[in-house]
Amino acid sequence: MMIALLGTLKAGAAYLPLDVQMPARRQQLILEDAQVSAVITREQFRELLPPDPAFPIWCLDTDSSA
């Protein structure tokens, strides 16, 4: 996670922490307001994010070669 955070900041992007205990609609409003282009998370939190996002969701602990 630290490597993803440093890479995000180095690329000129921003880190936006989300509380997974917030309702999905609140999370969606925060993400829309921030105009995010992608979300980096872990697989265990993937189902807690709003459904059908308008941006890609990348899970750090998923093997992307499969």
Side-chain angles (χ1 to χ4, degrees), residues 10-22:
K10 181 81 173 169
Y15 170 69
L16 178 67
L18 284 177
D19 185 1
V20 295
Q21 296 179 352
M22 284 191 291

Side-chain angles (χ1 to χ4, degrees), residues 1-64:
M1 190 66 170
M2 185 56 85
I3 293 171
L5 177 59
L6 290 175
T8 300
L9 296 175
K10 181 81 173 169
Y15 170 69
L16 178 67
L18 284 177
D19 185 1
V20 295
Q21 296 179 352
M22 284 191 291
R25 180 66 181 142
R26 175 71 177 136
Q27 290 179 3
Q28 184 176 1
L29 289 173
I30 290 171
L31 293 170
E32 288 173 0
D33 188 45
Q35 299 177 355
V36 300
S37 55
V39 171
I40 300 173
T41 188
R42 293 187 303 196
E43 190 65 38
Q44 68 187 27
F45 300 123
R46 174 63 179 94
E47 66 273 358
L48 300 175
L49 291 171
D52 301 325
F55 44 81
I57 296 178
W58 299 323
C59 296
L60 294 176
D61 56 350
T62 302
D63 184 11
S64 62

